[in-house]
């Protein structure tokens, strides 16, 4: 059967999804690109908005903050998710219930979880009370430019790792038990089994989690908006918060759209690199 | 249960401790829902039994909550999420199947479009999308809420990754037997993809359950208001009514909790046990 | 409901709008949409009263959270949505909404509005001398004090008369005294890092609102008085008299649970605090600077009819009922005790107010009366106000967390220059 003939079959399978994605994502995104090329009060296309945001130290610093955040948060969350998935990949009594508890934070509105963490991270809050039990002195948390971003990482991780764990867990359970038996016969210890069996077998779900987690961390917004409003001293001014601020607080939609386009291009570049890293010869 | 090995007991203990650590902030929400407003932030520090158990109980917040539009909106949220999961699974599995099993020119382009679609920050395109949807007269309708959830690039990506892991021989053998593409999809791939479908369904469910800005714009009428928007009204310019918000958050998280506990067994019922994996 | 049906209805409405006489016929069954940032319960009494006196018109309220109001207005009014009829508008946002064409001139109502409001209030409804909104609510502040905490520290209860007004310096002194006697915090603002409540610090000390020039589009937050005010503000957190790191929304509960000695807050707090078990409190006027003048914040929501309303006649009837009709205007504050702008409604409100809050009602009423008359200063009217407010809220957040005063203000001044230039 020729590849060209397949195209009609493939299109039939793809039509509903393509239609939805193109009309409800790509098309509005192109409208944003259009708006981003119109300077305030201008009627002809120009790159003025882009020049403006790239010349703006606040936008620049939000891009650097976002990149720094990504570099820390993604490996951290993936490592924790994988660790949790391995820990919870068992048939012990009650495991299903505990898995649900780990996953649950993702199900409550981000606006509410932020309220809880705002209370927990208050200088007189639960977190410091907890540290006190271990003899540690009170920390400034969200009031400190040095610690606030770490707090955002903590909160987004609490929300997200259960979610990624669930997907990795499904991947772990797809690994045939026979591979581990063979590895044991070869005399591999637990760690060697993890490196030689688990990781290669998890490549596809891991690719998914890596890409999806990276994207979702680029788009973190609600915790920043509610917990820090980008502060103290812009230390948590992630790019989505910057975009929202420009669009709805500063009332400067055209530069907000330009920033959105920059963000999408940035993510696209990083995701392309990730695909290249994670691919093997067998996959196109 | 008398003969549990110490290593197993330790494992169970670690698992349980992990679950509890993740659940603690939620527990604090649940407890706050039953406290008088002025007690919610009273026992944060130092830690004590009263931090995690109310000293005075009240159901007032639930009364306030259900006197508002909340009951209707929880139904709306559930309806929208379930409709999105059902419709979205159909749409996305078909697409993922084409992107992983059928070989055709331009496959990489279509896949790239799917990837780009979930890179686009949904909230950042809410205004242009609103114009499009309003042009189609879809404001204040279930369709306006459900449609953006159906074509989920992330779910397509997840399902594609899963389908790629199924051996090619499955398809080839079936086609030798004279099956068409749709039969291969329906009779071979679909029955094998239970756990992947659950994960993909979860992605779509969460997308709708967490949605806030979009529902606020497209469906603010009481009839179609979703739960997250409904509880946000307790956050007014004149202060935050934490009690009803906590009560609402508790209701909002209990529903997925029940659904998830119900679906947990299916996560482990994977293809590995069917022996069909590559 | 099919798309076809809606299209037909839209066409029908368009036809109806072209003929005023037919609007009256349609009035038989019209549903109006009212949007606000209030809980449904706040507007329920006025909607009920309106529906009773206007048979055939139903009102549906849509509550939009304050934080999302800009986004919602931008999308819906900006997008020409006809599904909003009447909307609450935050007064300082009026100029930018007018600049975007979101509000219609209401000049033809001038003769009806003028006799019902003070000249200051009329200004807040207008942009460049043209009226765009209807007078709904205003606001003022008072200082709540916890009697038990004061007694413990041997501090006499401050009086409620204008002559009894304390200075900020005295309050911080008394605050730390109360702390020494067991209070967790001495003094706090309810909206602890929001411009609305903090503007009076700078106005009182003589630093101005922070915006000057034509159209209030030039930032002016680095003058000596602003630095002085900001230093004072930062110091009360530095010294631990005011709570650092507690989110603004969680500050009012601090007073309710008896952890703060003095709290500057709005009259909307009275309902919650009087019903709090074990909280024994009084009210006094907002402090001022010894070498400055007394200043209190004011302004609140105004009411507007959407230019895209599909039922402009009925929408105007509702808007007028809620603002110009004294009974109607009074109904809007029954469930949220904030002063109505309408002077006739204010009389009804005052008479109703004092007995409603036994123990503090009389004092609170007295304070509101003279503050609204003598010390109220509006937020600056500017198309750039929203941007300005956002930046200032961030500045206050940073100062509160201990950032350097001078460099923070200078940095914000630069940011404002750049942002406001895009708006001009």
């Amino acid at each position: 059967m020729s590849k060209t003939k397949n195209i009609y079959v493939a299109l039939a399978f793809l039509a509903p999804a393509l239609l939805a994605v193109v009309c409800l994502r790509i098309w509005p995104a192109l409208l944003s690109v259009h708006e981003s090329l119109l300077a305030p009060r201008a009627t002809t296309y120009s790159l003025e908005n882009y020049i403006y945001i790239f010349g703006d130290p606040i936008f620049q610093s939000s891009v650097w903050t976002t990149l720094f955040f990504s570099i820390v948060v993604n490996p951290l969350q993936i490592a924790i998710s994988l660790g949790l998935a391995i820990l919870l990949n068992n048939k012990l009594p009650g495991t299903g219930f505990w898995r649900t508890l780990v996953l649950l934070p993702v199900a409550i509105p981000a606006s509410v979880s932020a309220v809880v963490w705002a209370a927990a991270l208050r200088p007189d809050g639960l977190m410091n009370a907890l540290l006190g039990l271990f003899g540690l002195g009170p920390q400034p948390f969200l009031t400190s430019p040095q610690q606030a971003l770490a707090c955002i990482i903590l909160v987004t991780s609490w929300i997200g790792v259960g979610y990624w764990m669930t997907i990795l867990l499904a991947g772990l359970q797809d690994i045939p038990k026979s591979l581990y038996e063979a590895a044991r016969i070869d005399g591999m210890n637990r760690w060697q089994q993890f490196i030689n069996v688990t990781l290669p077998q998890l490549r596809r779900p891991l690719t998914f989690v890596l890409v999806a987690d990276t994207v979702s961390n680029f788009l973190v917004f609600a915790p920043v908006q509610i917990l820090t409003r980008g502060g103290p001293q812009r230390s948590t001014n992630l790019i989505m918060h910057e975009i929202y601020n420009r669009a709805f607080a500063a009332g400067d939609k055209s530069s907000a759209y330009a920033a959105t386009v920059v963000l999408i291009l940035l993510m696209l570049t990083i995701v392309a690199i990730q695909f290249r890293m994670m691919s093997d010869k067998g996959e196109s | 249960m008398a003969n549990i090995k110490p290593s197993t007991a330790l494992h169970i203990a670690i698992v349980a401790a992990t679950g509890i650590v993740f659940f603690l902030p939620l527990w604090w929400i649940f407890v706050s829902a039953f406290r008088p407003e002025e007690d919610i932030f009273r026992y944060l520090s130092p830690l004590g039994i009263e931090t995690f158990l109310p000293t005075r109980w009240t159901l007032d917040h639930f009364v306030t909550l259900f006197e508002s539009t909340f009951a209707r909106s929880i139904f709306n949220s559930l309806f929208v999420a379930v409709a999105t999961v059902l419709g979205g699974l159909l749409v996305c599995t078909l697409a993922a199947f084409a992107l992983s099993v059928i070989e055709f020119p331009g496959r990489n382009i279509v896949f790239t479009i799917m990837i780009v679609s979930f890179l686009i920050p949904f909230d950042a395109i809410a205004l242009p999308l609103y114009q499009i949807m309003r042009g189609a007269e879809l404001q204040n309708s279930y369709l306006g809420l459900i449609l953006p959830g159906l074509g989920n690039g992330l779910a397509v990506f997840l399902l594609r990754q899963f389908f790629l892991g199924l051996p090619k021989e499955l398809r080839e053998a079936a086609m030798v037997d004279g099956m068409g593409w749709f039969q291969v999809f329906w009779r071979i791939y679909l029955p094998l993809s239970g756990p992947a479908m659950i994960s993909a369904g979860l992605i779509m469910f969460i997308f709708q359950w967490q949605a806030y800005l979009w529902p606020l714009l497209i469906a603010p009428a009481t009839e179609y208001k979703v739960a997250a928007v409904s509880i946000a009204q307790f956050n007014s310019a004149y202060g935050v009514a934490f009690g009803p918000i906590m009560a609402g958050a508790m209701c909002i998280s209990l529903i997925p909790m029940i659904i998830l506990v119900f679906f947990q067994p299916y996560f482990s019922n994977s293809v590995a046990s069917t022996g069909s994996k590559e | 409901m099919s798309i076809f049906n809606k299209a037909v209805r839209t066409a029908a409405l368009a036809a109806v709008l072209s003929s005023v006489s037919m609007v009256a016929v349609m009035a038989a069954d019209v549903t109006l949409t009212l949007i606000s940032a209030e809980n449904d319960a706040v507007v329920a009494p006025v909607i009920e009263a309106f529906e009773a006196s206007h048979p055939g018109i139903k009102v549906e309220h849509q509550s939009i959270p304050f934080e999302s109001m800009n986004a919602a207005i931008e999308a819906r009014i900006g997008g020409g949505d006809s599904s909003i009829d009447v909307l609450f508008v935050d007064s300082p946002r009026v100029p930018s909404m007018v600049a975007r064409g979101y509000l219609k001139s209401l000049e033809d109502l001038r003769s009806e509005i003028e006799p019902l409001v003070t000249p200051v209030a009329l200004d807040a409804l207008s942009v460049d001398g043209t009226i765009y909104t209807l007078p709904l609510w205003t606001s003022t502040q008072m200082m709540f004090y916890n009697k038990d905490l004061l007694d413990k520290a041997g501090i006499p209860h401050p009086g409620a008369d204008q002559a009894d007004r304390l200075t900020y310096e005295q309050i911080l002194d008394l605050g730390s005294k109360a702390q020494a006697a067991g209070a967790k915090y001495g003094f706090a603002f309810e909206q602890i890092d929001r411009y609305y409540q903090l503007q009076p610090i700078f106005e009182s000390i003589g630093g101005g609102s922070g915006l000057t020039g034509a159209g209030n589009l030039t930032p002016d937050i680095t003058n000596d008085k602003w630095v002085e005010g900001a230093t004072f503000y930062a110091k009360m957190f530095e010294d631990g008299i005011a709570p650092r790191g507690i989110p603004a929304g969680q500050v009012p509960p601090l007073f309710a649970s008896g952890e703060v000695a003095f709290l500057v807050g709005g009259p909307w707090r009275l309902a919650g605090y009087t019903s709090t078990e074990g909280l024994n409190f009084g009210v006094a006027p907002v402090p001022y600077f010894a070498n400055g003048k007394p200043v209190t914040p004011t302004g609140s929501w105004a009411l507007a009819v959407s230019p895209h309303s599909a039922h402009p006649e009925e929408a105007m009837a509702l808007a007028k009922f809620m603002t110009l009709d004294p009974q109607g205007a009074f109904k809007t504050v029954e469930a949220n005790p904030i002063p109505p702008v309408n002077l006739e409604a204010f009389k009804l409100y005052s008479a109703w107010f004092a007995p409603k809050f036994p123990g503090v009602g009389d004092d609170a009423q007295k304070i509101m009366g003279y503050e609204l008359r003598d010390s109220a200063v509006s937020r600056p009217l500017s198309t750039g106000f929203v941007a300005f407010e956002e930046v200032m809220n961030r500045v206050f957040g940073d100062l509160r967390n201990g950032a350097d005063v001078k460099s923070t203000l200078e940095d914000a001044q630069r940011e404002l220059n750049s942002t406001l230039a895009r708006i001009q």
Side-chain angles (χ1 to χ4, degrees), chain C residues 7-37:
Chain C
V8 169
R9 274 198 322 181
T10 317
L13 286 176
V16 165
L17 288 184
S18 62
S19 136
V20 178
S21 64
M22 275 188 72
V23 172
V25 180
M26 282 289 288
D29 54 344
V30 161
T31 299
L32 295 174
T33 303
L34 169 69
I35 69 168
S36 83

Side-chain angles (χ1 to χ4, degrees), chain C residues 229-293:
Chain C
T231 309
F232 161 81
Y233 172 77
K235 193 163 179 303
M236 62 191 212
F237 297 100
E238 195 69 56
D239 296 347
I241 295 170
R244 183 181 273 181
I246 292 178
Q250 297 177 13
V251 172
L254 285 180
F255 188 80
S257 52
E259 292 170 283
V260 186
F262 298 97
L263 177 93
V264 169
W268 48 84
R269 284 278 145 226
L270 286 166
Y273 288 161
T274 40
S275 64
T276 300
E277 245 173 88
L279 177 66
N280 192 6
F281 73 100
V283 290
V286 170
Y288 72 115
F289 283 101
N291 51 356
K293 58 178 194 272

Side-chain angles (χ1 to χ4, degrees), chain B residues 136 153 175 209 227 275:
Chain B
M175 292 199 110
W209 205 252

Side-chain angles (χ1 to χ4, degrees), chain C residues 36-37 74 78 111-112 121 140 164-165 170 174 218 282 295 299 309 319 346 381 385 414:
Chain C
S36 83
E74 204 59 58
S111 59
E112 282 179 71
T140 188
D164 300 329
R165 194 190 298 272
Q170 286 171 312
L174 297 176
T218 312
V295 176
S309 167
F346 186 76
L381 287 170
F385 180 77
R414 267 194 301 278

Side-chain angles (χ1 to χ4, degrees), chain B residues 75-93:
Chain B
F75 165 80
N76 288 340
S77 277
L78 205 55
F79 178 78
V80 167
V82 170
T84 304
V85 169
L86 296 180
L89 277 182
L90 185 69
V91 168
C92 296
T93 354

Side-chain angles (χ1 to χ4, degrees), chain A residues 113-241:
Chain A
S113 32
V115 169
V116 179
W117 282 100
L121 294 168
R122 271 162 61 159
D124 61 345
L126 294 173
M127 215 53 168
N128 270 330
L130 214 58
L131 289 181
L133 291 184
F134 297 100
L136 296 166
Q139 297 299 312
F141 295 125
L142 294 167
T143 63
S144 146
Q146 284 78 37
Q147 294 186 2
L149 196 63
C151 294
I152 299 288
I153 290 173
L154 172 72
V155 176
T156 54
S157 301
W158 176 73
I159 295 172
V161 291
Y163 192 46
W164 309 122
M165 171 206 77
T166 305
I167 286 155
L168 292 176
L169 200 54
L172 281 179
Q173 288 173 341
D174 278 348
I175 301 175
K177 301 277 173 293
S178 57
L179 291 178
Y180 288 105
E181 279 154 30
R184 267 196 294 275
I185 291 167
D186 289 348
M188 287 190 202
N189 62 26
R190 282 276 183 107
W191 176 250
Q192 286 167 320
Q193 288 176 30
F194 174 73
I195 296 294
N196 294 307
V197 180
T198 311
L199 277 186
Q201 288 290 314
L202 267 186
R203 185 174 53 83
R204 288 202 182 89
L206 262 180
T207 309
F208 172 81
V209 169
L210 177 65
V211 171
D213 190 25
T214 305
V215 170
S216 80
N217 282 322
F218 266 108
L219 303 183
V220 163
F221 169 67
V224 175
Q225 164 83 350
I226 299 162
L227 290 175
T228 64
R229 290 174 156 254
Q233 296 166 51
R234 301 206 184 90
S235 59
T236 58
N237 191 24
L238 297 178
I239 194 162
M240 273 306 284
H241 183 258

Side-chain angles (χ1 to χ4, degrees), chain C residues 32 34 40 72 81 153 176 187 214 265 272 306 314 328 336 341:
Chain C
L32 295 174
L34 169 69
D40 290 336
D81 189 346
S176 44
F187 174 72
S306 163
E314 292 86 350
N336 184 39
V341 181

Side-chain angles (χ1 to χ4, degrees), chain A residues 229 245 248-251, chain C residues 92-93 194-196 199 202-203 207-212 216-222 226 378-396 409 412-413 415-417 419-420 423:
Chain A
R229 290 174 156 254
N245 238 348
F248 297 123
Chain C
R93 282 164 172 76
R194 308 276 161 84
Y195 179 79
Y196 164 78
Q199 180 192 0
F202 302 93
E203 299 274 9
S209 72
L211 284 175
T212 56
N216 274 329
L217 282 164
T218 312
D220 179 21
I221 55 171
T222 47
W226 257 82
S378 297
R379 286 162 285 181
L381 287 170
S382 159
T383 48
F385 180 77
V386 184
F388 173 72
E389 186 186 40
E390 183 65 31
V391 171
M392 292 319 295
N393 289 348
R394 208 208 66 235
V395 165
F396 292 127
L409 289 177
Q413 172 105 352
E415 180 181 356
L416 283 168
N417 273 327
T419 309
L420 295 178
I423 290 165

